[in-house]
Every structure is written in C-alpha cells, then in structure tokens.
DNA sequence: TACTACTGTAATAATATCAGTTACAGTTAA
DNA sequence: TTAACTGTAACTGATATTATTACAGTAGTA
C-alpha cells in the first residue's frame, strides 16, 4: 500500500477538522509529519480529482470541496492508489511450455484484481467524516 | 503485498499439478522464474506451517501434505504475508497537541487492520485446487 | 566409504522503490 | 514590490527487495 493514500486521508480529515476548513501545505505537513513538497504533490492530485480547491499565492492553501461525509476512502483509493496490491514482481513465464508456469502470471493478476475490488468495497464503507468521528472518540477515551 | 505470497501459491499449485506431487527447489524456481534459494526460503516456511513435506538429500524435494482443495490462499496469506497491507510509514505524531495529528496513527492502523481482514476473507474463497482449475481453463482457451 | 543431489540458512551484493530536500517558476494578497 | 503561498522537477539518501554465493547438513546409491 502506498503511503500517499495515508497522507491524502490525513490531509482531508485535517481540513474537515479545521473551523475555517483551510490549511497550507506546511501546516498539513507538520501535522502529518512529513515535508511540504510531498503534501503538495498529493494535494495536487486530490485537486485534479475534485476533492479539494487550491488557492495559490499569499494566504493560500487547500480547502475541502466536498462534504466530509460524502467522500469515502474508496474515492481516495481510486484516485491515487488503486491497483497497488499486486507486487510489480511477476511469477512464471508466458513462453514456458508448462501449463502452470505459462499461465500463472495472468491468473495471479486476476486474483489480485479481485482483491483490489474487495479492498475498494471495504474502503467504500468509511468516509472522511467517520474518520474524524473516530478520532474524537479516541481522544475522549 | 509480498511477492513471497506469489511464490508460495505458485509453488503449491505446481506441486498439485505434478503427477507424482513432487518437485525440487530448482525445478520450482525455474517454473516460477526466480532462484532456488528464494524458493527454499519460502518452502521452508510452508513446511513449518504444515503445507508441505520436505525430503532432504539426493532425490529429495517438496511434496504437498494437504489436499489442494483444502488449502486456501488465506491459509498461505496468514502464514507468510498477513498484516503487510499497512505501509511501514506512519502518519501523525502521538505527542502532537492536535486531535487529528495525535490520534491518526492509531485510527489508521485500525483501518488497515480491517482491510487486512477483508482481504483474508477474499482469499478464503480461493483454494490451490481452484487455482489449478483456472490455469487449465486458461490453457484450453 | 565416497560421491552426488538435494535442503537449510547466513552473508553479501545488486537493484529498485520510497521519502526527504533543494531549487525555482508562477500566483496572489497586502 | 514584497511576502507567502502552490506546482514541479531534479537530486540525494535511506530502505526494501531480489539475486547470488557459499557452505554445512542429509540421504540415497554405487
């Protein structure tokens, strides 16, 4: 799993938590514990997918452009991590004259594709708003 | 996802496909397209978990010790890959005085733990025997 | 017994991936 | 015009992954 997914989710939750709904890459980076450039790269992608609005220039930053309860982790997953389950490493060799060796690559791909869908289904059930609720619940405990 | 999982599945399917149910690390490695040492390491783990029997010495190798239709990918996943979904990278910082930054690590862990279970559930539905069926189906097509 | 063909495992090297940093152009508010 | 931002590219360093080498232990067989 890509850690950019984590950064994206964390960033959106942080924006949802802010009273004014805004934060700069530096503020986000310090909260997430990474560097601003990495945050900007992720946010840039989120902007292209319509999850946030960007304001460049002084006093700028990022702002949620959707309701926290309408954005699911699956949306984020699809936007920047989908298909990452299967390792780049590939088993077997299509040229092989063995039934197993020659077809395992494709069959394994199909297995991972299914796994990815399963994962997406799970992420579908969690929204940014819920993440925020879980955080406050945790903080109270 | 760990590529050892792929090697393990591929190896077991290959064993299931062999008429005599046996193969050496070198034979498996050539079929999988990797090197024998890697295969031996994975198989060693599968042996410790009761999936295969080993015979050392001349003429030795590996043999399935369970019915192909009774071994699921989830069994293999649990044995050598479970919990690999969450990236080692961790978001936030427990020392932070922000609600979000201080608790995100834990909440995210819980999310990934759930994702892992979901994945396991999916793998539960696929057996080594089914993998072999898929391969033969693919070969016919 | 000696030889050959295996497994088991550690250590190392080569390579690929990931994360952090620096640099700088473009944008906007004051 | 300056200061505070985003957007990107390029580079560096760290970490993880895969392959290789080496060798001890085991078992079948001549």
């Amino acid at each position: 799993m890509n850690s950019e997914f984590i950064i994206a989710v964390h960033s959106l939750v942080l924006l949802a938590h802010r009273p004014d709904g805004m934060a700069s890459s530096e503020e986000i980076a310090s909260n997430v514990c990474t560097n601003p450039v990495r945050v900007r790269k992720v946010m840039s992608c989120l902007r292209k997918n319509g999850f946030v609005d960007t304001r460049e220039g002084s006093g700028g930053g990022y702002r949620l452009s959707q309701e926290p309860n309408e954005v699911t982790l699956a949306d984020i997953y699809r936007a920047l991590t989908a298909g990452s389950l299967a390792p780049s490493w590939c088993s077997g060799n299509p040229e092989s004259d063995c039934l197993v060796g020659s077809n395992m690559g494709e069959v394994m791909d199909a297995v991972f594709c299914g796994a990815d869908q399963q994962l997406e289904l799970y992420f579908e059930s969690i929204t940014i708003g819920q993440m925020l609720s879980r955080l406050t619940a945790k903080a109270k405990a």
Side-chain angles (χ1 to χ4, degrees), chain A residues 96-108:
Chain A
S96 164
D97 54 357
C98 166
L99 166 74
V100 177
S102 60
N103 294 294
M104 185 59 82
E106 266 191 88
V107 169
M108 203 65 95

Side-chain angles (χ1 to χ4, degrees), chain A residues 13-28:
Chain A
V13 172
L14 182 63
L15 290 179
H17 175 247
R18 285 290 177 96
D20 61 351
M22 277 208 72
S24 70
S25 63
E26 195 150 349
E27 291 171 307
I28 297 174

Side-chain angles (χ1 to χ4, degrees), chain A residues 12-128:
Chain A
L12 294 183
V13 172
L14 182 63
L15 290 179
H17 175 247
R18 285 290 177 96
D20 61 351
M22 277 208 72
S24 70
S25 63
E26 195 150 349
E27 291 171 307
I28 297 174
S30 123
N31 198 276
V32 167
C33 275
T34 185
N35 58 342
V37 176
R38 203 143 132 72
V39 170
R40 292 206 287 269
K41 206 152 62 178
V42 171
M43 296 310 274
S44 177
C45 182
L46 290 181
R47 171 179 53 84
K48 282 167 189 160
N49 284 275
F51 297 110
V52 297
D53 288 325
T54 278
R55 209 169 65 214
E56 295 188 15
S58 180
Y62 304 93
R63 161 175 283 143
L64 271 184
S65 60
Q66 292 186 39
E67 280 303 305
N69 286 314
E70 307 217 316
V71 180
T72 71
L73 300 201
D75 294 326
I76 303 169
Y77 183 75
R78 272 188 291 267
L80 44 74
T81 323
S84 71
L85 250 189
S88 53
W89 197 87
C90 178
S91 188
N93 172 9
E95 305 299 313
S96 164
D97 54 357
C98 166
L99 166 74
V100 177
S102 60
N103 294 294
M104 185 59 82
E106 266 191 88
V107 169
M108 203 65 95
D109 272 356
V111 167
F112 280 115
C113 186
D116 220 66
Q117 287 172 354
Q118 198 68 16
L119 211 54
E120 225 176 281
L121 212 63
Y122 167 72
F123 285 142
E124 202 78 60
S125 72
I126 307 174
T127 68
I128 293 297

